[in-house]
Amino acid sequence: QVQLVESGGGLVQDGGSLRLSCAASGRTFSTYVMGWFRQAPGKEREFVAAIRWSGGNTYYADSVKGRFTISRDNAKNTSYLQMNSLKPEDTAVYYCAGAYSIYSGALYLATMYDYWGQGTQVTVSS
């Protein structure tokens, strides 16, 4: 079993920055994929970014490319989502998710992930 715990959400002004963390425990992650998704009120959960634990390949949604950076710390089993130039439309609950194997074309699909955190609220005020 894998447990994922997010932290780092909060309230920030338009143009500000936040860094989210996702600490994983329970299993080894040498072949893991970790993703970040978000869900705004009344909208479906959408892909934000993903990273492969081995090799560190990263993937981003077009809406966050150039503003958000996903990274990982292998020793701490933790993934980070650095969010810069935040916009009001980035307001959502952010979830981290984990899986053992996903081919690149399916990384954006929430159904491909096996484990989910509880979510952390990010609010960007205009």
Side-chain angles (χ1 to χ4, degrees):
Q1 190 69 12
V2 174
Q3 294 81 41
L4 302 175
V5 179
E6 302 102 333
S7 61
L11 174 64
V12 65
Q13 289 188 332
D14 190 355
S17 298
L18 282 174
R19 189 177 81 156
L20 305 182
S21 301
C22 177
S25 62
R27 295 287 295 272
T28 59
F29 302 98
S30 60
T31 59
Y32 212 62
V33 173
M34 188 165 281
W36 286 92
F37 289 77
R38 66 187 182 186
Q39 188 165 20
K43 295 188 177 181
E44 293 187 355
R45 192 167 297 190
E46 65 172 357
F47 172 77
V48 175
I51 186 167
R52 294 193 184 278
W53 224 249
S54 176
N57 289 11
T58 58
Y59 309 84
Y60 296 94
D62 288 343
S63 59
V64 306
K65 204 171 291 184
R67 300 188 298 124
F68 291 11
T69 302
I70 189 171
S71 62
R72 90 278 193 224
D73 184 326
N74 290 11
K76 295 181 179 180
N77 282 338
T78 299
S79 170
Y80 303 99
L81 185 68
Q82 177 66 44
M83 306 185 295
N84 298 329
S85 301
L86 282 162
K87 306 174 182 180
E89 51 262 45
D90 294 317
T91 295
V93 177
Y94 283 70
Y95 298 90
C96 68
Y100 285 101
S101 180
I102 306 176
Y103 69 95
S104 298
L107 284 167
Y108 68 96
L109 295 173
T111 54
M112 299 300 292
Y113 291 79
D114 304 308
Y115 304 101
W116 291 84
Q118 81 286 356
T120 186
Q121 176 70 46
V122 171
T123 303
V124 184
S125 63
S126 57

